[in-house]
């Protein structure tokens, strides 16, 4: 995840922030705190050529969504919905013992 260029709406996410988000997802025991991930990404964004109507917080939201998608593809998290159909990201439990 950290070896490629991450650009979101004209803002670049440095590799250190990408690795910090990845590590935060790995260290999460249950539900992934998306707001905390955005708080890690937003101050680290580097303005390259921002879109005219885009804020830093919107670019951070897009970046975190992409990082969560990468985590789903890697098998680290799964998206679940609660009784009110609100989505949440949960850490995937690894099976223990022999199957």
């Amino acid at each position: 995840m950290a070896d490629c260029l991450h650009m979101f709406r004209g803002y670049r996410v440095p590799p250190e922030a990408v690795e910090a988000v990845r590590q935060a997802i790995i260290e999460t025991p249950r539900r992934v705190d998306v707001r905390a991930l955005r708080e890690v990404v937003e101050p680290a964004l580097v303005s390259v050529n921002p879109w005219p109507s885009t804020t830093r917080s919107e670019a951070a939201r897009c970046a975190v969504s992409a990082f969560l998608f990468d985590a789903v593809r890697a098998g680290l998290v799964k998206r679940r919905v609660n009784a009110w159909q609100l989505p949440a990201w949960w850490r995937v439990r690894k099976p223990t013992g022999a199957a």
Side-chain angles (χ1 to χ4, degrees):
M1 223 161 66
D3 60 344
C4 62
L5 179 65
H6 293 284
M7 286 282 285
F8 300 95
R9 298 192 177 210
Y11 290 91
R12 185 175 57 84
V13 182
E16 298 82 22
V18 175
E19 189 60 33
V21 168
R22 183 179 162 277
Q23 199 60 36
I25 291 172
I26 289 172
E27 292 173 356
T28 300
R30 292 186 176 173
R31 185 176 178 190
V32 176
D33 188 3
V34 177
R35 183 174 292 156
L37 296 179
R38 284 186 199 151
E39 290 173 358
V40 169
V41 171
E42 190 170 346
L45 289 174
V46 177
S47 175
V48 176
N49 187 13
W51 294 7
S53 62
T54 302
T55 62
R56 286 179 90 79
S57 62
E58 190 172 347
R61 183 183 52 80
C62 292
V64 169
S65 294
F67 298 150
L68 287 171
F69 178 76
D70 290 344
V72 168
R73 288 181 43 198
L76 296 174
V77 296
K78 183 189 290 186
R79 188 174 189 178
R80 298 183 190 166
V81 294
N82 62 12
W84 295 284
Q85 299 299 315
L86 298 173
W89 297 94
W90 291 83
R91 185 77 165 90
V92 173
R93 292 185 186 167
K94 298 291 180 190
T96 56

